Amino acid sequence: MRLKVAAAGNGLHPNEAVVIVRTMSGTERLVVPRQSIFNNSIEIGWPIRTRDDSFLVELPRETQSGAWRVWVPKDEVIIPTEERMRA
């Protein structure tokens, strides 16, 4: 599964990027390797929990505010076609 992100700037190292993740309570910023960004999204695992219109997901890195898990709107998560067929 992938999570949509928006580019926010460069990280401290040339191969890092700061990205913004839209959450249910606003936005979070985190630093990720540039090569992990594909089509403005990053890879995440299967959601930990679900609610009516949101998923609790674990991010690949800690956000600038210290969070590892965030609630995100369901439309921010990209489920690959083969995963949809298995579910």
Side-chain angles (χ1 to χ4, degrees):
M1 296 183 72
R2 300 192 70 81
L3 179 63
K4 295 177 185 176
V5 297
N10 297 320
L12 293 176
H13 195 275
N15 69 349
E16 293 178 330
V18 179
V19 296
I20 299 171
V21 173
R22 193 172 72 117
T23 68
M24 294 302 287
S25 60
T27 60
E28 291 281 351
R29 291 174 177 257
L30 66 147
V31 178
V32 297
R34 284 191 189 281
Q35 66 268 22
S36 69
I37 303 170
F38 178 74
N39 287 341
N40 294 320
S41 67
I42 57 173
E43 190 170 349
I44 58 169
W46 198 257
I48 298 164
R49 291 192 59 194
T50 62
R51 283 194 204 153
D52 297 331
D53 58 347
S54 61
F55 289 128
L56 178 63
V57 299
E58 187 162 331
L59 300 171
R61 293 224 178 141
E62 185 176 15
T63 67
Q64 290 180 346
S65 68
W68 280 90
R69 295 178 177 178
V70 292
W71 285 97
V72 297
K74 285 186 176 179
D75 63 352
E76 292 295 302
V77 175
I78 302 165
I79 303 172
T81 305
E82 62 272 7
E83 292 294 328
R84 288 185 195 155
M85 291 170 46
R86 273 194 265 169

